Amino acid sequence: MGERTGDDHGIKRDRLLKIIADQGAGRLLLTSQPALAWYLDGARVHVNLAAPPIVAVLVGAAGDEVILTGNESARLRDEELPAGVEIRELAWSEVPAGIDLEPDTLHEDQVADQLRAARAPLLPGEAARYGELGRDAARVMTEVLSGRTPADTERAVAAALTGALVEVGAEPLVVLVGGADRLPYRHPLPTLDPVGRRFMAVLGARRHGLVINLTRWVRFGPAEPGEQSADERILAVEAGFLAATVPGSTLGDAFRAGCAGYAEHGFAADEWQRHHQGGVAGYNGRDPRATVDAADRILAGQAFAWNPTAPGCKVEDTVLRTETGFEVLTADPAWPTTPVADLPRPTTLPL
């Protein structure tokens, strides 16, 4: 990891110390992937993606302590942890029982809402890393999908996407490919079916702890009746979500306004109930996922990934909400786009 970026870490530490003080506690124990990757400036704190992190951090006024197992210590010091952190080594058999906590220590589960708020908005170093990941992931989609044929299997496309993500140092968290015969499925895990005339690819990729999300469509030959209309209308639904993503409003406000767009643009009024619609992006796939009653305040400097979808159509990019509008983080100049509400939005790639 090397040195920490600017004063980002000092700001994060101040935010956590305020949470600790507000709760009348002495220290705070961080144990989750999102919290640890955020606080340790993107360190990879896992070995097995399906297992808990191999690191914990105690944060307190007197300083921070990174708790890890001795068999991981050298690699983490050399390659992942920020320089100068204090480390406590435990035997692999001691974790987590060996983490002896004082009575006034908070566990992060006790302040989950406050920790999520502390991760917002993105700080300069985070925003720069996120933008680089978004561009890399978008380029991966373009390069891999541009070379496909209708005979390619969904798994072959997924394998190519996965390999390309690993080559740019990202961890593939979600890789979905749905061919022409499986488009009704909202989460098409890849199979041996050929992609056929038209297919969808979805990626969720993590690097430096930040998770980027995007969806792309590919078509061989001309569009069938109704396809172009559905694509245009789902972009209009997304535009409603984005227009309502206004600093000072709540995530629930934006969710409700965006969902109203389904009926306005010719879809079933209850279409939003058949798939989640996205939400705040960052150190989780959604941080948090938007719901009707989500009370989180929208801030300038936050990232969002809305993903409205209906049968046979979907749009998804990760965007940064700025003071004046949006920056599309998952943009690649080689992918075809169309302007919608002054933003370049992806269209189907014709091959």
Side-chain angles (χ1 to χ4, degrees), residues 227-237:
E227 286 180 351
Q228 185 171 343
S229 170
D231 290 345
E232 291 171 352
R233 288 183 290 119
I234 206 67
L235 288 173
V237 174

Side-chain angles (χ1 to χ4, degrees), residues 14-77:
D14 287 344
R15 291 177 183 175
L16 294 194
L17 291 179
K18 184 178 187 303
I19 292 173
I20 293 168
D22 288 347
Q23 298 294 316
R27 295 189 298 178
L28 170 63
L29 179 67
L30 303 178
T31 59
S32 72
Q33 160 69 36
L36 290 165
W38 169 74
Y39 195 60
L40 295 174
D41 294 335
R44 292 178 294 179
V45 294
H46 70 279
V47 172
N48 181 343
L49 284 171
I54 58 174
V55 167
V57 176
L58 269 172
V59 180
D64 300 340
E65 185 178 39
V66 178
I67 304 169
L68 46 75
T69 59
N71 61 308
E72 300 288 353
S73 178
R75 180 182 62 83
L76 291 171
R77 283 178 187 270

Side-chain angles (χ1 to χ4, degrees), residues 20-346:
I20 293 168
D22 288 347
Q23 298 294 316
R27 295 189 298 178
L28 170 63
L29 179 67
L30 303 178
T31 59
S32 72
Q33 160 69 36
L36 290 165
W38 169 74
Y39 195 60
L40 295 174
D41 294 335
R44 292 178 294 179
V45 294
H46 70 279
V47 172
N48 181 343
L49 284 171
I54 58 174
V55 167
V57 176
L58 269 172
V59 180
D64 300 340
E65 185 178 39
V66 178
I67 304 169
L68 46 75
T69 59
N71 61 308
E72 300 288 353
S73 178
R75 180 182 62 83
L76 291 171
R77 283 178 187 270
D78 293 344
E79 299 179 347
E80 299 296 337
L81 297 177
V85 297
E86 181 179 343
I87 289 177
R88 189 207 312 178
E89 293 186 12
L90 299 175
W92 65 264
S93 57
E94 292 182 298
V95 180
I99 303 178
D100 187 18
L101 300 179
E102 299 293 332
D104 64 347
T105 300
L106 288 170
H107 190 276
E108 68 169 80
D109 290 345
Q110 297 174 263
V111 287
D113 291 346
Q114 295 93 322
L115 277 177
R116 190 170 65 244
R119 293 195 289 270
L122 295 172
L123 296 168
E126 296 174 298
R129 292 191 290 267
Y130 213 9
E132 291 172 0
L133 172 59
R135 290 187 291 274
D136 283 348
R139 187 178 67 254
V140 161
M141 278 286 214
T142 301
E143 293 176 353
V144 170
L145 300 186
S146 296
R148 299 299 100 189
T149 72
D152 286 337
T153 67
E154 295 170 344
R155 286 185 185 173
V157 176
L161 289 169
T162 298
L165 284 178
V166 173
E167 285 184 350
V168 299
E171 297 153 1
L173 303 183
V174 177
V175 182
L176 306 178
V177 181
D181 293 335
R182 301 180 68 237
L183 293 183
Y185 303 130
R186 305 300 171 100
H187 289 142
L189 294 173
T191 71
L192 287 174
D193 287 358
V195 295
R197 186 189 64 83
R198 181 169 181 258
F199 72 93
M200 175 184 73
V202 181
L203 287 182
R206 184 173 69 197
R207 192 171 68 196
H208 302 305
L210 292 157
V211 181
I212 210 84
N213 304 279
L214 68 162
T215 294
R216 295 292 185 263
W217 289 82
V218 175
R219 185 186 69 242
F220 301 95
E224 290 191 347
E227 286 180 351
Q228 185 171 343
S229 170
D231 290 345
E232 291 171 352
R233 288 183 290 119
I234 206 67
L235 288 173
V237 174
E238 183 203 41
F241 278 102
L242 293 172
T245 306
V246 178
S249 299
T250 69
L251 190 59
D253 293 336
F255 178 83
R256 292 188 297 274
C259 290
Y262 280 102
E264 294 171 8
H265 297 290
F267 296 105
D270 63 349
E271 190 62 55
W272 62 271
Q273 296 185 27
R274 299 184 178 96
H275 192 279
H276 81 81
Q277 302 299 301
V280 180
Y283 287 89
N284 263 322
R286 298 296 188 274
D287 197 25
R289 183 179 292 180
T291 61
V292 171
D293 299 319
D296 301 64
R297 289 286 169 186
I298 294 170
L299 303 172
Q302 274 186 308
F304 294 84
W306 295 109
N307 51 260
T309 177
C313 60
K314 179 187 177 185
V315 61
E316 179 183 30
D317 270 311
T318 303
V319 301
L320 183 67
R321 171 72 224 200
T322 69
E323 292 283 0
T324 57
F326 293 94
E327 174 189 351
V328 182
L329 300 181
T330 44
D332 179 57
W335 192 272
T337 63
T338 186
V340 179
D342 297 324
L343 270 185
R345 306 306 303 120

